[in-house]
């Protein structure tokens, strides 16, 4: 496979003008290179993908190696595959894919899609199955992304529709096919340890810290990006507070649950996504964070068990709560934001943020606006209402396409020769790794079981046995 | 509380001009947006607060969840609260608080204040108490900060006086009221484990790495910020070497103590703070690192136990050593730096760094200087000696105000309905969290005790019992 | 030692013009300060050194404290020592070393050299020995770096020759002298635990994420730096995929080995180093990643054990695989890149990237080129072939000098009074640290041994004993 990839790279990939020595001339200012604009965001998203996701998905007591390492593997493969496939749809001209740091950033978003979907099937898939999933998901995603952006022409700065909703319903489609009835009653190895919970929380913190970069990296530069950072921070902040409150309130004994803190706190970051660069006011970002978090929390509590039992959809990490429900709230908020956007609030930059509302080529209003905003590109002359309808169409089209794509991918992943682990081997690192001597599932589980069953601590048990 | 916060946000918070779409016109260069100047520093400080502090305070063997999670909670709450309260004092005009990334950065500094104070009461407080502490500390801090900057007019680039000294004496005031005699003889759960020590060290390393960003984020741009980075790095570096040397020298068996490496190595970052952007020479930064580290080390060794026993001040994480003693050394060095600052060393930028020394409006010297430094603002025409006296006044005023504020806050935190944990439940995650099955305080403590008491390893003990 | 250092700093170190308040005038734009260009790369490399290396080298089950803490100590000392020594060779004029963030970045590279060499002797050295190693290695490195750059005049953007090859052969030289026959048969404490493997993987991920910054930080600004980032990312990505494939293929039971994932995945970053800013095409970077990774993998599998047994070179972390073999492949690729570089591919910037190929002062062609590239500096007028020969010379000279330097340093480290740990005390934190109560080598090893020997889990053993 490495060789196929190498051949494809040598045939199709070349440098973008900004990375091509020959394209520089005496008027090029090296510091104007596009890299200086994109690299800081790329680096932040790298930390989120490789450190944040890896740690977050390393929450399993007996599945920490797999959670981290398979994330690493899937991410590395997805990005290099997306450079080719997504590059073909986005950066292909003159018979070549032109590669730049911006292309890498796009590829990382495609990679985030695969990793979110991975969350649904974590624990019951072999690395080969994951690579196959990435192999299929990246092209499906690239086609959908290209079609939606080119034909439906939507506004999706924070990637709510194309990243979160796509990834979520793709993952649910795949896990629907990979349904394992025996896992519904709980798997003895599906548990956390004190250290694995801390590792996962560390991942949450890295995602939390760099989420503003994620949400703002593809917005228009200037005040738009500024707002994107503010909204993401406020949304995360209010959803964090809400998550703590709900976790303590709805736990029987008023205690906090680590899983809530690891996941639900992040809901606000997704929920502000679709309207992240709009003039929605800080208070609206705050409210979105609270709403997204509430939906996510109750999703974990009631919807995920319901889906697993009644709909045969086992959503391991609850991606439907963290990306699906919040994504739908976010898209709705985005549509409201579009409907409410007026020149009064935005000034002429309205036509820059909602680029499809800019007048068409040749319209005299375009020239007028171009004097106010140099470099404004002609749009499609849509009204707010029209744009809102197209957004709705894009949401349904994306959900449908991703769910179907997920189901098909699930069937391929289910093929015998892909070495899916047996039910018993789920959530167990020892199946895929040479594990250190202090990893001994049987022993550790036995201790737990004993101390739980008898309600006693181990020393007593040892004593009694004698 | 979420609702109150939401109402306050909707009533009072709006966008800064740099984040307001309407304020952009055809002369605005998007890349000149203030966000590009502030966001990198904001992101670095975010890592320090959410990753660095969380890990550092997760040092407890049975208190890792609480250390990390309560830091996360307190930080998220403090920042959103500071956006309102501190924003009211710093960014309020036209009836609204104008929000920007710079405002977030200020709010993070206010949050750092709360987290430092938290270090004094860690282990004996419930999350509700911590939120109450933040609820009171942020307004007190904002008022003191505003009053000191507006009326005493000091120079405090690295935040030595307003961040470190304020936070330290506030925390000591609070812990004085929350005194628990039984903790003085040591608590069985107040201990570390191999993994929790490593987690805490990881936090130290993140703080170490990004401290130059912290110290330099609010200095004048250009050479001032450059010096701030150099001094902070040198100070940290020399205090690290000193900490290792002292730790090995003053340990009975010549071994290193992890607590020293986790805390004392950071002393240099605080100690260079007050003079961080002055022309003090690299050697002076080096010397400050050594001095701060030495004071901090002996503070941990002798002063902290003395304070706990004689003064009823139980300083859990030793914030008085890391922020108080070093803060005093740092302020003194800052005053020396101010006294020694001459036009000979600084050139005309003297009046930019020590802005209160710039001539008053109307003074002919001001016009002269403004030709050398375009945009120089009129100052108060103070001499070096006058400025130094005002610094001294600010130090005493800040310490007094923070200690009183801390004591009052301590009384509120002590109210019955805030669910303070019992003495026995201190340093125990199980009180606040659903803990995984491998967390069993009783069992683990018993093992330790046995193996210590009998000087034997456990297998032997088991054998003997039979 | 602190005092000596302080005296040296006060005698010799002053500010660079960019950090000197007096050097600013009314034409200085503060945002043009060199710090803004260098600091982001410096910060990224800081994370690699202090977080990435620390975690990576904390892989030992009983040596996690030492691995992390000694990295911290060695790094802090190396940088402050390199500021002086390397500064003397690179930034010394007017009787002073002029210090700037660029100087710190150079010093961090020198520090990386020491830490790589440390990888060879990890586990069998005391902190005093490590400080002595840094004390000697920094000057030797600085002299070699200065001589090679000044007299042989090579191109070495990614630091392949001067950082990776130097560090590798220096480390091998030192470990050759510190040979301990008893360690060849394996040491009972030379093992990992589940948590230490995860810690080390976390280090790998940080190194992986920020490696593009490392490789690109000293290239020419603009498109060169852009390419450096792209190549490093592609190289790492392809070497990661290859590492997974090889690890699964060459393990008896088709399982993955954590040590491979922790180390071999990074090989691509070194391998693209020497040609990192050249127009080698993305496919070539991909191929280099695959080749470097393959060499590194088989190095770990066959060469490291062979060297330990037959050549008396115990390479603890396998630096010869990760830095030596890959460094040689990289240098060879760099030479090919130099030979193939034509004006056709590069345009006039050829003479900027390969600066020694620029025409000499006075050559009319220089004036012509300077019109195309303003600010082009005169070079040595070398042909591609000449430059390639000089590169070869530099490779051999560096390897020879570093190996000799390493051997000599090894002899000094072997001096009796430096407190080298006994064979039995290798890989044991308890020798150097006050360890927490849950760290008990004897007990833990005994459990392992028992459960391995008898092929049983512990509860059974306990039962049988009765």
């Amino acid at each position: 496979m490495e060789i196929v990839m190498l051949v494809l790279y040598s045939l199709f990939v070349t440098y973008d003008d900004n990375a091509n020595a020959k394209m520089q001339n005496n008027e090029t200012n090296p510091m104007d290179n596009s890299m200086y604009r994109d690299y800081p965001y790329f680096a932040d998203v790298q930390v989120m993908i490789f450190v944040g996701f890896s740690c977050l998905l390393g929450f399993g007591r007996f599945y920490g190696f797999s959670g981290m390492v398979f994330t690493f593997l899937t991410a590395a493969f997805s990005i290099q595959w997306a450079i080719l496939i997504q590059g073909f749809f986005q950066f292909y001209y003159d018979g070549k894919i032109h590669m730049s740091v911006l292309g890498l950033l796009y590829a990382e978003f495609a990679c985030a899609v695969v990793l979110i979907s991975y969350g649904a099937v974590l624990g019951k898939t072999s690395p080969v199955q994951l690579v196959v999933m990435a192999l299929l998901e990246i092209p499906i995603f690239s086609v959908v992304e290209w079609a939606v952006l080119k034909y439906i022409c939507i506004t999706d700065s924070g990637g709510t529709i194309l990243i979160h909703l796509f990834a979520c319903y793709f993952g649910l489609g795949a896990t629907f096919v990979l349904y394992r009835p025996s896992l519904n009653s709980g798997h003895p190895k599906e548990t956390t340890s004190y250290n694995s919970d801390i590792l996962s929380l560390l991942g949450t913190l890295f995602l939390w810290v760099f989420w503003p970069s994620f949400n703002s990296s593809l917005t228009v530069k200037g005040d738009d990006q500024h707002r994107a950072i503010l909204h993401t921070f406020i949304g995360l902040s209010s959803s964090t507070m809400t998550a703590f409150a709900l976790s303590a309130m709805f736990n029987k004994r008023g205690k906090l649950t680590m899983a809530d803190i690891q996941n639900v706190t992040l809901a606000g970051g997704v929920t502000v996504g679709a309207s992240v660069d709009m003039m929605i006011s800080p208070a609206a970002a705050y409210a979105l964070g609270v709403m997204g978090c509430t939906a996510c929390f109750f999703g974990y509590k009631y919807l995920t068990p319901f889906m697993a039992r009644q709909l045969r959809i086992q959503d391991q990490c609850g991606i439907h709560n963290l990306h699906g429900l919040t994504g739908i709230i976010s898209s709705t908020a985005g549509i409201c934001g579009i409907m409410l956007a007026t020149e009064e609030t935005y000034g002429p930059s309205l036509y820059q943020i909602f680029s499809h509302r800019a007048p068409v080529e040749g319209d005299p209003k375009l020239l007028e606006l171009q004097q106010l905003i140099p470099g404004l590109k002609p749009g499609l002359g849509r009204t707010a209402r029209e744009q809102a309808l197209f957004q709705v169409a894009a949401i349904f089209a994306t959900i449908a396409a991703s769910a179907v794509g997920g189901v098909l991918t699930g069937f391929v992943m289910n093929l015998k020769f892909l070495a899916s682990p047996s039910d018993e081997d789920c959530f167990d690192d020892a199946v895929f790794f040479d594990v250190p001597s202090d990893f001994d599932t049987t022993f550790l589980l036995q201790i737990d079981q004993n101390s739980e069953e008898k309600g006693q601590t181990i020393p007593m048990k040892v004593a009694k046995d004698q």
Side-chain angles (χ1 to χ4, degrees), chain A:
Chain A
M1 195 157 79
E2 292 301 290
I3 294 165
V4 173
M5 198 70 97
L6 180 56
V7 172
L8 290 172
Y9 266 77
S10 60
L11 286 180
F12 292 117
V13 184
T14 187
Y15 301 110
D16 179 77
D17 289 358
N18 274 295
N20 190 331
K22 214 182 174 179
M23 293 299 164
Q24 315 305 312
N25 59 41
N26 56 357
E27 288 177 0
T28 318
N29 176 354
M31 298 312 289
D32 286 344
N33 198 294
S34 68
M35 184 273 280
Y36 296 102
R37 214 182 51 213
D38 300 322
Y39 185 60
Y41 296 90
F42 171 69
D44 287 358
V45 177
Q46 286 256 80
V47 176
M48 291 178 75
I49 299 259
F50 286 93
V51 179
F53 262 106
S54 283
C55 292
L56 184 67
L57 298 184
F59 64 86
R61 177 168 180 182
F62 305 113
Y63 207 64
F65 282 8
S66 305
M68 289 187 84
V69 169
F70 297 165
T71 305
F72 186 20
L73 168 71
T74 312
F77 175 73
S78 297
I79 299 180
Q80 65 176 252
W81 184 226
I83 289 171
L84 276 175
I85 300 298
Q86 197 190 27
F88 179 75
F89 287 99
Q90 308 276 350
F91 303 103
Y92 185 84
Y93 54 88
D94 297 345
K96 292 273 185 185
I97 295 157
H98 290 69
M99 196 178 168
S100 65
V101 170
L102 184 66
L104 291 185
L105 188 55
Y106 272 72
E108 293 216 308
F109 282 100
C111 163
V113 168
V114 178
L115 292 183
I116 293 170
S117 303
Y118 170 38
V121 298
L122 181 130
K124 53 183 178 186
T125 38
S126 70
V128 180
Q129 285 181 300
L130 291 174
V131 170
V132 167
M133 186 172 95
L135 198 68
L136 296 175
E137 185 164 6
I138 294 285
I140 299 173
F141 168 73
S142 301
V143 170
V144 171
E145 183 192 29
W146 169 79
V148 166
L149 291 180
K150 191 170 169 83
Y151 295 108
I152 315 193
C153 297
I154 61 160
T155 301
D156 191 26
S157 313
T160 302
I161 299 171
L162 288 170
I163 295 178
H164 296 291
L165 286 180
F166 182 95
C168 169
Y169 290 99
F170 190 98
L172 296 185
T175 198
F176 177 73
V177 179
L178 300 178
Y179 181 67
R180 291 172 183 243
S182 75
L183 294 189
N184 268 352
S185 50
H187 190 287
K189 290 175 203 152
E190 188 189 353
T191 176
T192 65
S193 72
Y194 196 66
N195 287 313
S196 73
D197 264 334
I198 283 178
L199 181 72
S200 184
L201 179 62
L202 197 61
T204 302
L205 293 172
F206 274 107
L207 290 171
W208 206 97
V209 161
F210 290 111
W211 206 294
S213 295
F214 182 89
N215 267 357
S216 70
S217 58
L218 295 180
T219 59
V220 178
K221 293 281 150 180
D223 61 297
D224 297 57
Q225 202 164 21
H226 200 151
R227 273 196 303 283
I229 290 170
L230 297 180
H231 290 154
T232 309
F233 185 87
I234 297 172
L236 282 171
S237 173
S238 73
S239 85
T240 301
M241 295 307 298
T242 313
F244 275 95
L246 292 174
S247 184
M249 275 161 62
F250 287 86
N251 182 300
K252 281 172 220 156
R253 291 160 298 170
K255 293 186 179 185
L256 296 167
T257 307
M258 278 302 264
D260 294 337
I261 292 157
Q262 286 152 2
N263 295 292
V264 185
T265 50
L266 294 170
V270 183
T271 321
V272 297
S275 52
V276 81
D277 56 347
M278 300 181 191
M279 294 282 292
I280 54 170
S281 88
Y286 199 98
L288 281 173
V290 174
M291 284 161 60
C293 176
T294 310
C296 179
F297 179 81
F298 290 108
Y300 271 105
K301 206 162 176 63
Y302 302 112
L303 196 55
T304 303
F306 171 81
M307 280 165 62
R309 270 184 228 122
Q310 307 295 323
L311 309 180
R312 300 168 41 100
I313 298 175
Q314 291 166 328
D315 180 3
Q316 192 54 40
C317 299
I319 60 167
H320 187 249
N321 313 310
L322 191 47
H323 302 275
L325 295 176
T326 53
I328 288 167
I329 295 174
S330 176
S331 313
T332 314
I335 290 168
C336 297
I338 288 170
M339 296 287 281
L340 295 172
T342 58
E343 266 195 66
E344 204 181 333
T345 323
Y346 287 82
S349 31
L350 176 73
Y351 301 100
Q352 200 172 26
I353 302 173
F354 305 99
S355 56
H356 307 303
R357 293 188 59 187
V360 293
E361 186 89 64
D363 189 324
K365 195 167 177 214
L366 183 66
L367 292 172
E368 211 176 289
L369 285 167
Q370 281 175 337
Q371 281 186 323
L372 294 168
I373 302 182
L376 183 73
K377 286 187 195 144
L380 303 169
R382 287 184 184 165
T383 65
R385 205 192 161 80
E386 283 168 12
Q387 183 62 41
L389 288 172
F390 279 104
Q391 299 283 131
V392 174
I395 293 168
F396 284 104
T398 304
I399 291 179
S402 61
V404 173
V407 168
L408 294 177
T409 303
F411 280 117
V412 177
M413 286 165 78
N414 232 355
L415 296 175
K416 282 277 154 48
F417 64 90
L418 292 181
S420 176
S422 71
D423 281 8
E424 199 182 301
D425 285 345
C426 285
F427 307 105
D428 192 347
D429 278 341
V431 180
F432 301 113
F433 289 90
D434 279 336
V435 287
S437 59
D438 65 337
F439 178 93
D440 188 337
T441 322
T442 335
F443 169 52
L444 292 170
L445 283 176
Q446 195 170 329
I447 286 187
D448 285 359
Q449 224 168 12
N450 278 316
S451 62
E452 269 171 39
E453 269 171 25
K454 307 197 179 175
Q456 296 168 350
T457 54
I458 305 157
M460 297 187 193
K461 176 198 154 269
V462 171
K464 197 178 278 181
D465 285 357
Q466 295 144 31

